[in-house]
Amino acid sequence: MQFDENTIRSVVAQVLAEVGPLPKANGSSSHAGGQYGVFYDADSAVNAARTAFEQFRAQSMATRKQVIDIIRRVSIENCEELGMMEMNETKIGRPEHKIEKLRTLGELSPGTEFLETKCYSGDHGLAIIERAPFGVIGAITPVTHSLPTITGNAVSMLAGGNTVVVNPHPSGKLVATEGVRRFNEAIVREIGIDNLICVIAEPTLETAEALFKHRQVALICVTGGPAVGRAALNSGKRAIVAGPGNPPVVVDETADLDNAARCIIQGGSYDNNLLCIAEKEVFVVDSVFDAMMAAMRRAGAVQLDADQISKLTSKAIVKVGDDQHDAACKDFIGRDASVLAQAAGVSVPEGTELLFGETDEHHPFVTVEQMMPFIPFVRARDVDHAIELAKFYEHGFRHTAIIHSRNVHNMTKMGRELDTTLYVKNGPCMASLGLGGEGYLSFSIAGPTGEGVTTPNTFTRERRCSMIDELRVV
């Protein structure tokens, strides 16, 4: 199923016509029912979300769980259509992975079952500690995973009893708007509460700033790059920030090289390397470097030589800013391996998922979070040197790191040295989020502010209720 941008816009326009007039920038129209969460200015969206919160907080935990189940069902049942809408709007990544992300988030995002209640009982009575909602949460979502991030966040935030207003990345606003509309329409039909999830249909820097400053927004959650993270932290409100990463991989002399190759390809090529947790650069000890490169070729990746890497770099890496630092060219972010290969002056077999090649440690593809299906491999003298390089080029983000090794001491040393939020041994990056490994799934990994992989508990505050000298019945 294919949708071009004009078709997507037509669908959204039809949707807006069906739900009636939306609030304008001056806030003159009412934010009352019938909007299905779609607004054009932050003030109207936040006010509607606050009204919805007051209704939502009066509901039972069973109703809260029912809302979560609705979001899950809509995400799963609409994953193909909405995944293809996102692919055709953003034009980055791979369609099968856009679909898979929505389906998987619908299945695995943590819900009300994650909420924790603690109880202390003693000679002086009883104390119960419960997780309470903040209220209205303001959320910023990235173009790399527009609707998937909204979906996962909505499940966790609403499971915590909150409502949310989303300012999506402008390049993913159409699918964000349509997804939010479908969530709300189903919730209104079955529960009778509108605007539990609100979206700003024409997001700008100004609407994001208004969201950050709005007095009714109690908490901010940002998933994106350094600039938006800094803005959230400077907002004067509590912020949960899921920031950038440049995940390194270390391969030592004890590793199962064929398994390492399969895992690097699986993680590094997923959605054309758009995942913030994805393998970005690989440091291999010299004694097995050539064997590792051969393992990558056997596993189906295509190796570029030095000249081809140079051609690709000249097009895919650009100089930006006053300091003229290296950055990924937007024309190549999330594009297929065949597009990168063409830029490198080489043709590759149909279905090629990943390109790779040898570079030195100073190469821009090592230093930059490039989000393309080309991975640089760097020689290291030994495992200590490889870990040293991995730590340096992870840039202190403390996001994600990966090692392939059978040596427990080496695994332990790298884990302590890099101190990352996610640390994977002998698997692809996504195994750290419960996809092929243990754990749970979220697309907001709050490294800068320390919450880690977010859950409903992340979006709640602690409340304690005490009964003095009574109700201890044992």
Side-chain angles (χ1 to χ4, degrees), residues 20 27 44 60 65 138 241 275 295 319-320 331 382 408-409 421 449:
S44 296
S60 66
K65 184 179 184 302
V241 177
L275 296 179
K319 300 287 186 181
V320 299
D331 293 339
D382 52 32
V408 175
H409 174 75
T421 302
T449 47

Side-chain angles (χ1 to χ4, degrees), residues 242-283:
N246 194 40
V249 183
V250 166
V251 180
D252 76 7
E253 66 277 8
T254 72
D256 179 336
L257 300 183
D258 287 319
N259 178 67
R262 289 191 298 270
C263 292
I264 291 168
I265 293 170
Q266 183 182 357
S269 68
Y270 191 88
D271 211 21
N272 286 339
N273 204 260
L274 290 178
L275 296 179
C276 57
I277 64 171
E279 293 83 345
K280 295 293 192 287
E281 65 279 342
V282 183
F283 302 101

Side-chain angles (χ1 to χ4, degrees), residues 20-77:
L22 296 178
K24 303 302 180 184
N26 61 12
S28 58
S29 297
S30 170
H31 61 259
Q35 305 303 324
Y36 296 141
V38 180
F39 296 89
Y40 279 117
D41 68 285
D43 187 59
S44 296
V46 173
N47 289 335
R50 181 67 200 186
T51 299
F53 172 70
E54 296 298 339
Q55 296 174 291
F56 195 41
R57 73 189 307 186
Q59 302 299 311
S60 66
M61 186 63 73
T63 299
R64 196 185 298 184
K65 184 179 184 302
Q66 188 179 353
V67 169
I68 299 307
D69 289 342
I70 292 168
I71 297 171
R72 294 186 191 279
R73 186 183 71 241
V74 170
S75 183
I76 294 168
E77 292 179 352

Side-chain angles (χ1 to χ4, degrees), residues 198-466:
C198 296
V199 64
I200 299 173
E202 292 294 342
T204 63
L205 290 175
E206 289 73 24
T207 59
E209 183 179 6
L211 193 60
F212 286 170
K213 292 181 177 180
H214 201 289
R215 62 183 300 174
Q216 295 282 13
V217 172
L219 177 69
I220 295 170
C221 179
V222 165
T223 306
V228 68
R230 285 192 296 270
L233 292 171
N234 291 330
S235 67
K237 302 179 186 289
R238 182 182 170 189
I240 296 166
V241 177
N246 194 40
V249 183
V250 166
V251 180
D252 76 7
E253 66 277 8
T254 72
D256 179 336
L257 300 183
D258 287 319
N259 178 67
R262 289 191 298 270
C263 292
I264 291 168
I265 293 170
Q266 183 182 357
S269 68
Y270 191 88
D271 211 21
N272 286 339
N273 204 260
L274 290 178
L275 296 179
C276 57
I277 64 171
E279 293 83 345
K280 295 293 192 287
E281 65 279 342
V282 183
F283 302 101
V284 186
V285 298
D286 186 63
S287 61
V288 295
F289 186 90
D290 293 335
M292 183 68 223
M293 302 296 266
M296 290 292 293
R297 294 192 296 270
R298 286 195 301 273
V302 173
Q303 184 172 357
L304 302 184
D305 62 28
D307 287 341
Q308 292 163 346
I309 293 172
S310 179
K311 289 179 183 177
L312 173 61
T313 305
S314 68
K315 298 174 182 177
I317 302 294
V318 295
K319 300 287 186 181
V320 299
D322 294 337
D323 59 353
Q324 289 293 282
H325 64 272
D326 291 324
C329 176
K330 292 182 179 180
D331 293 339
F332 289 90
I333 290 175
R335 301 299 298 276
D336 289 345
S338 59
V339 175
L340 274 63
Q342 185 177 18
V346 60
S347 63
V348 296
E350 185 177 353
T352 297
E353 295 182 311
L354 188 73
L355 310 179
F356 74 104
E358 181 176 0
T359 72
D360 63 37
E361 64 168 287
H362 306 292
H363 195 278
F365 270 99
V366 175
T367 63
V368 171
E369 185 192 16
Q370 28 84 7
M371 293 185 287
M372 304 175 203
F374 170 82
I375 294 184
F377 280 64
V378 179
R379 291 179 187 264
R381 294 187 301 273
D382 52 32
V383 69
D384 290 338
H385 185 218
I387 293 172
E388 178 187 332
L389 292 173
K391 181 177 181 178
F392 185 82
Y393 290 106
E394 202 273 331
H395 300 311
F397 292 139
R398 296 196 296 182
H399 196 293
T400 303
I402 301 158
I403 189 171
H404 290 275
S405 172
R406 292 190 180 100
N407 187 308
V408 175
H409 174 75
N410 291 345
M411 297 179 193
T412 304
K413 179 174 182 177
M414 181 168 171
R416 289 176 175 170
E417 285 290 325
L418 271 74
D419 194 25
T420 50
T421 302
L422 300 178
Y423 181 39
V424 185
K425 284 79 71 181
N426 299 322
C429 62
M430 65 274 289
S432 62
L433 297 179
L435 304 175
E438 296 300 323
Y440 56 88
L441 178 62
S442 171
F443 272 25
S444 290
I445 301 162
T449 47
E451 292 83 3
V453 183
T454 56
T455 74
N457 287 313
T458 307
F459 304 107
T460 60
R461 57 195 181 90
E462 186 176 286
R463 292 192 65 191
R464 180 181 297 196
C465 183
S466 300

